[in-house]
């Protein structure tokens, strides 16, 4: 579950825009403005708060926006939020970073957040460099070509396969950082390892240096695919954490191409045996790679003789 709000985004401190009429903070430097309304028991809609923001803060100077909660996000999609942002695109020429849905579990569980088609955020803001989205419920994306996007993060408890395939089919020549939380089929995840093949081939992602395919039920298959992936030699950071990684997947990683060139390898929240963890540590002992093998809260549950394992973030 997500328990804290972002305090940094796009390398800037996140500053909350006051919707209660109190004086607007006067930051000493560049900031990411967080615009949010209560998710429960409010008559204020996010587009209204956004309109107030644009009268109080010079929109032409805004470089980063964090969209927090909107009214009843467990029932109402982000379509109105997206439409308001797109309609104001001409007023936001300096916008380079946007995060949609910065909510904790107290606002709305990640798999309850109702998203929408976010393609227009990329087409309306052709100079956007960072896009983050939280929540996969009803999330849609069409394949795009975007010249300037440098990082794309989609956090979910269950990412629709159509979205994964859209990302894989997009041309993103400037992208250096891709993070997909693939999730649990009980919360809408229906992608397969085959959907990741164009990403792992890397043809449309020539600048990628960090790849995070995380929170994944089929992490063993992902690990096996990564072990032979053409994109791996150009990566500096690889993240296969938060998922159901077992010895089978780790064995595939060790048997595949060398990963010791990586600056970091994150495998935390895993279901590895102690012997396998020792083997992995031995491989990377002298490589200088920042290795995270923490098993964390990856606990197995047994019911009627069946063992159940879960991703780190589901509901």
């Amino acid at each position: 579950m997500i328990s804290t709000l972002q305090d940094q985004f796009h390398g800037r401190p996140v500053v909350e825009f006051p919707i209660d009429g109190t004086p607007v903070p006067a930051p000493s430097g560049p900031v990411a403005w967080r615009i949010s309304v209560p998710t429960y028991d409010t008559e204020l809609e996010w587009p209204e708060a956004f309109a107030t923001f644009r009268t109080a803060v010079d929109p032409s100077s805004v470089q980063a926006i964090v969209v927090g909660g909107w009214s009843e996000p467990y029932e109402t999609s982000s379509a109105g939020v997206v439409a308001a942002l797109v309609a104001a695109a001409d007023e936001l020429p300096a916008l380079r970073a946007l995060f949609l849905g910065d909510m904790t579990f107290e606002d709305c569980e990640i798999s309850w957040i109702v998203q929408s088609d976010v393609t227009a955020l990329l087409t309306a803001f052709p100079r956007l460099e960072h896009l983050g989205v939280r929540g996969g419920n009803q999330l849609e994306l069409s394949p795009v070509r975007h010249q300037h996007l440098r990082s794309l993060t989609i956090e979910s408890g269950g990412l629709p396969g159509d979205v994964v395939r859209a990302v894989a089919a997009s041309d993103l020549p400037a992208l250096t950082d891709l993070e997909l939380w693939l999730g649990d089929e009980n919360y809408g995840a229906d992608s397969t390892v085959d959907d990741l093949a164009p990403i792992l081939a890397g043809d449309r992602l020539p600048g990628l240096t960090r790849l995070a395919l995380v929170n994944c039920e089929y992490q063993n298959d992902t690990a096996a695919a990564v072990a032979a992936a053409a994109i791996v030699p150009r990566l500096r950071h690889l993240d296969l954490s938060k998922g159901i990684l077992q010895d089978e997947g780790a064995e595939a990683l060790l048997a595949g191409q060398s990963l010791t060139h990586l600056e970091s390898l994150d495998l935390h929240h895993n279901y590895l045996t102690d012997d396998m963890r020792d083997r992995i540590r031995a491989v990377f002992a002298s490589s200088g790679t920042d290795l995270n093998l923490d098993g964390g809260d990856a606990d197995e549950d047994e019911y009627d003789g069946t063992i159940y394992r879960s991703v780190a973030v589901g509901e």
Side-chain angles (χ1 to χ4, degrees), residues 57-98:
V57 175
D58 177 10
S60 68
S61 68
V62 175
Q63 299 177 32
I65 292 176
V66 174
V67 175
W70 56 88
S71 179
E72 299 182 334
Y74 44 88
E75 292 182 350
T76 304
S77 82
S78 63
V81 176
V82 171
L85 287 162
V86 169
D90 289 344
E91 301 176 46
L92 298 162
L95 188 68
R96 296 293 180 267
L98 178 63

Side-chain angles (χ1 to χ4, degrees), residues 2 39 67-70 72-78 99-116 133-139 155-158 160 187 314-315:
I2 307 295
T39 57
V67 175
W70 56 88
E72 299 182 334
Y74 44 88
E75 292 182 350
T76 304
S77 82
S78 63
F99 192 96
L100 181 63
D102 184 33
M103 291 177 252
T104 71
F105 72 96
E106 293 179 325
D107 300 312
C108 187
E109 295 281 7
I110 189 170
S111 289
W112 298 4
I113 299 172
V114 183
Q115 285 288 356
S116 61
V133 179
R134 179 171 296 156
N137 186 10
Q138 297 186 31
L139 181 65
E155 303 173 354
S156 80
Y187 297 102
E315 185 177 28

Side-chain angles (χ1 to χ4, degrees), residues 1-298:
M1 65 177 63
I2 307 295
S3 58
T4 58
L5 298 174
Q6 299 187 71
D7 58 9
Q8 293 278 327
F9 181 57
H10 189 44
R12 292 155 170 73
V14 175
V15 173
E16 187 85 24
F17 175 73
I19 60 172
D20 59 1
T22 57
V24 178
S28 59
V31 301
W33 288 101
R34 185 173 188 273
I35 308 166
S36 183
V37 302
T39 57
Y40 295 88
D41 300 323
T42 181
E43 295 182 357
L44 180 63
E45 300 292 339
W46 193 90
E48 298 174 58
F50 184 47
T52 302
F53 168 77
R54 300 198 320 275
T55 62
V57 175
D58 177 10
S60 68
S61 68
V62 175
Q63 299 177 32
I65 292 176
V66 174
V67 175
W70 56 88
S71 179
E72 299 182 334
Y74 44 88
E75 292 182 350
T76 304
S77 82
S78 63
V81 176
V82 171
L85 287 162
V86 169
D90 289 344
E91 301 176 46
L92 298 162
L95 188 68
R96 296 293 180 267
L98 178 63
F99 192 96
L100 181 63
D102 184 33
M103 291 177 252
T104 71
F105 72 96
E106 293 179 325
D107 300 312
C108 187
E109 295 281 7
I110 189 170
S111 289
W112 298 4
I113 299 172
V114 183
Q115 285 288 356
S116 61
D117 191 337
V118 298
T119 311
L121 295 177
L122 292 170
T123 56
F125 296 97
R127 300 195 67 82
L128 198 69
E129 297 177 359
H130 303 276
L131 177 62
V133 179
R134 179 171 296 156
N137 186 10
Q138 297 186 31
L139 181 65
E140 295 180 27
L141 178 70
S142 297
V144 297
R145 178 172 177 80
H146 197 288
Q147 289 287 108
H148 295 282
L149 195 69
R150 293 171 48 200
S151 73
L152 174 62
T153 299
I154 306 179
E155 303 173 354
S156 80
L159 193 58
D162 285 346
V163 174
V164 177
R165 289 185 286 273
V167 172
S170 293
D171 288 311
L172 304 170
L175 200 74
T176 62
D177 190 327
L178 175 61
E179 181 169 334
L180 301 178
W181 296 27
L182 297 163
D184 182 331
E185 66 177 351
N186 293 311
Y187 297 102
D190 60 358
S191 67
T192 70
V193 68
D194 292 339
D195 296 325
L196 303 175
I199 294 172
L200 296 176
D203 297 337
R204 296 186 179 95
L205 302 170
L208 201 72
T209 57
R210 178 179 180 268
L211 177 61
L213 301 171
V214 304
N215 204 47
C216 181
E217 281 190 313
Y218 54 85
Q219 202 65 290
N220 288 332
D221 294 336
T222 300
V226 164
I231 201 171
V232 167
R234 75 178 83 141
L235 296 179
R236 297 202 299 267
H237 306 277
L238 177 62
D239 188 344
L240 301 177
S241 66
K242 303 184 184 72
I244 304 179
L245 181 67
Q246 300 166 264
D247 283 10
E248 170 190 343
E251 188 72 56
L253 280 178
L254 294 180
Q257 61 191 307
S258 174
L259 300 176
T260 55
H261 68 286
L262 293 170
E263 293 178 21
S264 68
L265 174 61
D266 192 346
L267 303 176
H268 85 268
H269 185 282
N270 58 66
Y271 294 87
L272 303 178
T273 62
D274 289 340
D275 285 347
M276 178 56 73
R277 290 194 183 95
D278 288 343
R279 287 180 58 192
I280 296 173
R281 289 190 186 100
V283 168
F284 290 93
S286 59
S287 68
T289 302
D290 182 7
L291 179 65
N292 188 344
L293 280 172
D294 185 8
D297 57 355

